[in-house]
Every structure is written in C-alpha cells, then in structure tokens.
Amino acid sequence: MTQKLAIHGGTKLRTKPFPSRGLIGVEEKNAVMKLFDDAIASGNAFGYNGAPEKQYEQDFAAYMGGGFADAVNSGTNALFCALGALELDAFSEIIVPPITDPGGVMPVIYVGCVPVVADADPRSYNLCAETIAPLINERTRAIVVAHIAGDAVEMEPIMALAKKHSLYVVEDCAQSHGTSYHGQRTGTIGHIAAFSTMFGKHHCTGGQGGIVYTRDEKLHWQGRRFADRGKPFGIENAAGNVRAAINCNLSDLGAVIGSVQVKKLPGITAGRQRVGEAIKAAFADNPAIQVGWQPANSVSSYWFLRMTVNPKALPCSKTDFCAALAAEGIPVNPSYRHIPCEAPWFKNKNTFGKSGFPWNCADYKGPKDPQYSIVNAIKAAENNFNIAVHENYTDQDTQDIIDAINKVLAGI
C-alpha cells in the first residue's frame, strides 16, 4: 500500500537529523597546538612560507601523484593566481563556465582579461567542447573548466580543442577533490588547476584557503611569483620584485590543518563515493529520476549529489517533488542556479567604477557588452536538483534517501 506523504500529513520517513561531517578532529587540534607551542617556546610568531606551508604543499602534491603546489588564502585567489601564472596580455579572452561560484569568473577581470561564457553540456552543470568551440577566436587565450558537484568535465575533447588552438586549460577543482577521469585526477589534466580548501570542501585548511597545482614547473614559478607580490621565486640574481601582484599567501596555521586534512582525503572521497554510487545504482533504470549524467570512465567525488528529473516521466513538477522530499526529512536543494553572468555585476559591467572595464576599453576589440547564450545552463538548473551528502553518512542514511525518493515517486 502506498504510504501517505509527510507533506500531505503522513508520517515523516526520516525523523532524526542526518549526521554532521566531523571534518575537524583532535588530529587537527594537536597539530595547531604544536604550532602554538613551538611559537611560544621560540618567541617567534608563526607566519607564512614556513616549514608547515612547504610540508602541506609537498603533501598535496604527493596526493596528486607529483607536481607542484602553492598554498594560497582562498579558492577564488587560487583561480586568480592560476590565471596570473599564464601571464596573458590584457584584454585576452578567457572562456569560462556557465554554472559556477562567482569566484570562478571574477578573477578573469582582475587579471585584466575578458570572461566569455560558454553554455553547459545539456547533460550536466558543466561546460563541454561543443559549447566552447564556437566561442574561440583570435582573442581567445585560455579556457577555465569547473568540475561542478564533483562530476568531471568531459576533458578529452576540450584538451584536443585547446591543443588545436594553442590555448591554456585551467581546471577549477574547488568541488572535485579526488574526482577521477579516465584514470587521472581532476587537476592533473589541464595545464594548471585551482582548488578551494574552505571549510565546506572535501578537505580544508580552516575557514578559507586554496591551492594552485600544476605539473608544469615554469607555470608553478610564475604562479608563485604572482601569489606573493612578484617576489623572484625561481629566479637567480633578481634586483627586486619582478612583476606587479598582490599577497595571496596561506598562513602556516592553515597549512598545518591542511597537512592533517590531506591525509584524510582518500577516506573522505571514498566515503562520499560509497554514498553517491549506491544512490546512482538504485535509480539507474528509473524513468523519472536518476543521479545526473557523468562522463564514461569517471568517478565523481560527490561534493553534492546532482539528481536529474525527466519532466515527462515525473508525476508532478520538480518544485513539488523537492518539497515533498524535504518534508520526508531529506536535505534537498531544489535549484542550483549559480550562473554568474545573470548577476548584476556581470550584466551591468560593475567592475572598476563606471569604466565598464574590460569591455568598454578602446584596446579591447571584442563586443562592448557581455555576450552569452546559456539556454542549456538554465535548462540544467530547471531539470536538476541537489541532495546534500558527505562521507559520514551511514548505509542506513543512504538507504533513507533512496526510500524517501521512492516513497515520493509512488505517492505524489
């Protein structure tokens, strides 16, 4: 017999709260206390670019299978420094994702370049080669890809497109720590990558933080200089700071937390994948609702669970379905319309005073108003919703999500 839905006065399926993550533990506390104890004993305050930061960078690079890491003070600044490492001419065009955090687009402006928005892959929140290709012209110098929700972008066609046109590819991995694509970790596929390590991500360095990662040593040194006021890292006999830049350093306090956290990261991603893959399997053949499409030979790290609805098969609107699911006690976000080009700052060119920079500048030869077509991105926001998941969910927590979805599908 069909159960009466909680939204219609029935018994709520999930009556107790879902577990908290418990991301920070005694290990992080002990590492921080040792840093304080060492500072007190020596009489010298801890700062940045010290042994703890170098250790964290080594630990993260080792997790990524080698390469170079530079710890910075936010995910936004990680992207800013990754772009700065490219040393592009002002007014270069950089293709950016349609659905991302505002900090996934704004840094383009602050390296003096022009963001050009690509539409989404019709199957996901992410962009794809088919939506990027029509935007490439003589002004294009780089592509930023963001692996939203921990779901990998289809990278092979994008890398082929970039090679054909001699473009850099910057991976925004803020939401994809531990995601794999064709056996490679996201962040190792493009030329350089940016990670966020704020408190809500897969692993953290405290309240805020980020990492610039690359396997290209030249880009690494260029990025380090850009992240610390142009200091001549990697250059011998420099007379002083070698380029204009700002201070984006992570502190040693954040770094000691990061070193503990990155050791937990394999377990964190494995736990999220256990939950996400179980729910994906449960609805693999469901005509109305499924875990969102992911590229073949990829494994999501599930920063959240993206669920795709088929409006023709769903017996109600997505809004009503999500309301009924929330009433059953499931942590659901009915809309993820994080589309920066819809925001006033982008549409109205609110960047540097009333200058309209960079679009209005005479030296920029492209359109004087931001151009974008985001039909697929809007459709993705309309046809997907998100469920919060994390590594501390038990098998019973996972089963409750599955049971609640099935209950709503049967009773709506």
Side-chain angles (χ1 to χ4, degrees), residues 6-19:
I7 200 168
H8 296 152
T11 302
K12 188 176 181 180
L13 185 142
R14 176 82 184 199
T15 56
K16 66 177 182 178
F18 279 83

Side-chain angles (χ1 to χ4, degrees), residues 98-156:
I99 298 177
T100 188
D101 184 86
V105 174
M106 288 176 174
V108 173
I109 302 291
Y110 284 89
V111 294
C113 293
V114 183
V116 177
V117 181
D119 203 356
D121 184 316
R123 300 167 292 185
S124 79
Y125 292 154
N126 296 331
L127 46 55
C128 61
E130 289 76 12
T131 60
I132 292 168
L135 305 177
I136 296 173
N137 59 49
E138 68 279 1
R139 298 180 297 275
T140 310
R141 295 293 179 270
I143 303 165
V144 176
V145 302
H147 306 281
I148 300 299
D151 296 342
V153 173
E154 185 73 271
M155 290 297 293
E156 279 192 353

Side-chain angles (χ1 to χ4, degrees), residues 75-310:
T76 300
N77 276 344
L79 182 59
F80 176 59
C81 294
L83 293 171
L86 305 182
E87 298 189 348
L88 301 177
D89 288 340
F91 308 111
S92 297
E93 290 186 357
I94 298 177
I95 295 172
V96 298
I99 298 177
T100 188
D101 184 86
V105 174
M106 288 176 174
V108 173
I109 302 291
Y110 284 89
V111 294
C113 293
V114 183
V116 177
V117 181
D119 203 356
D121 184 316
R123 300 167 292 185
S124 79
Y125 292 154
N126 296 331
L127 46 55
C128 61
E130 289 76 12
T131 60
I132 292 168
L135 305 177
I136 296 173
N137 59 49
E138 68 279 1
R139 298 180 297 275
T140 310
R141 295 293 179 270
I143 303 165
V144 176
V145 302
H147 306 281
I148 300 299
D151 296 342
V153 173
E154 185 73 271
M155 290 297 293
E156 279 192 353
I158 292 175
M159 295 307 297
L161 195 62
K163 183 177 181 180
K164 177 182 177 182
H165 295 280
S166 300
L167 305 176
Y168 287 110
V169 174
V170 180
E171 291 185 77
D172 181 346
C173 302
Q175 299 183 8
S176 69
H177 307 198
T179 294
S180 67
Y181 173 85
H182 293 206
Q184 296 177 271
R185 289 200 194 283
T186 53
T188 68
I189 305 164
H191 298 95
I192 194 166
F195 289 78
S196 170
T197 58
M198 56 84 77
F199 66 93
K201 296 303 195 295
H202 295 78
H203 90 284
C204 78
T205 50
Q208 282 281 13
I211 300 170
V212 182
Y213 171 83
T214 182
R215 294 189 170 182
D216 185 318
E217 186 170 4
K218 180 181 178 184
L219 288 181
H220 168 67
W221 289 118
Q222 290 175 181
R224 282 194 74 91
R225 294 169 205 142
F226 191 78
D228 195 357
R229 296 156 290 176
K231 289 180 181 177
F233 298 117
I235 299 175
E236 295 183 6
N237 304 317
N241 296 44
V242 295
R243 67 176 302 191
I246 61 175
N247 185 343
C248 298
N249 284 290
L250 182 71
S251 73
D252 286 344
L253 179 60
V256 296
I257 296 171
S259 278
V260 176
Q261 285 274 297
V262 79
K263 291 177 175 62
K264 296 181 177 181
L265 188 49
I268 288 170
T269 54
R272 287 172 173 263
Q273 287 163 351
R274 171 181 50 80
V275 176
E277 293 297 308
I279 297 171
K280 183 165 72 171
F283 296 99
D285 299 319
N286 193 291
I289 184 169
Q290 295 184 341
V291 170
W293 173 87
Q294 299 160 0
N297 300 316
S298 72
V299 182
S300 178
S301 60
Y302 294 106
W303 193 56
F304 54 78
L305 196 64
R306 179 175 61 87
M307 306 296 294
T308 300
V309 302
N310 178 358

Side-chain angles (χ1 to χ4, degrees), residues 316-393:
C316 63
S317 71
K318 185 193 76 169
T319 299
D320 288 345
F321 181 89
C322 288
L325 192 60
E328 299 296 339
I330 305 304
V332 58
N333 179 5
S335 178
Y336 194 75
R337 193 157 173 164
H338 288 253
I339 301 178
C341 66
E342 291 188 317
W345 77 268
F346 192 95
K347 293 192 293 185
N348 299 331
K349 300 181 284 189
N350 291 336
T351 54
F352 294 87
K354 297 180 181 179
S355 68
F357 179 92
W359 294 276
N360 287 2
C361 295
D363 287 335
Y364 176 54
K365 305 306 179 184
K368 296 305 178 184
D369 288 304
Q371 306 290 306
Y372 51 87
S373 174
I374 50 171
V375 175
N376 293 345
I378 293 170
K379 186 176 180 181
E382 291 173 346
N383 290 344
N384 289 268
F385 67 90
N386 305 334
I387 295 176
V389 296
H390 61 67
E391 62 277 6
N392 257 6
Y393 279 22

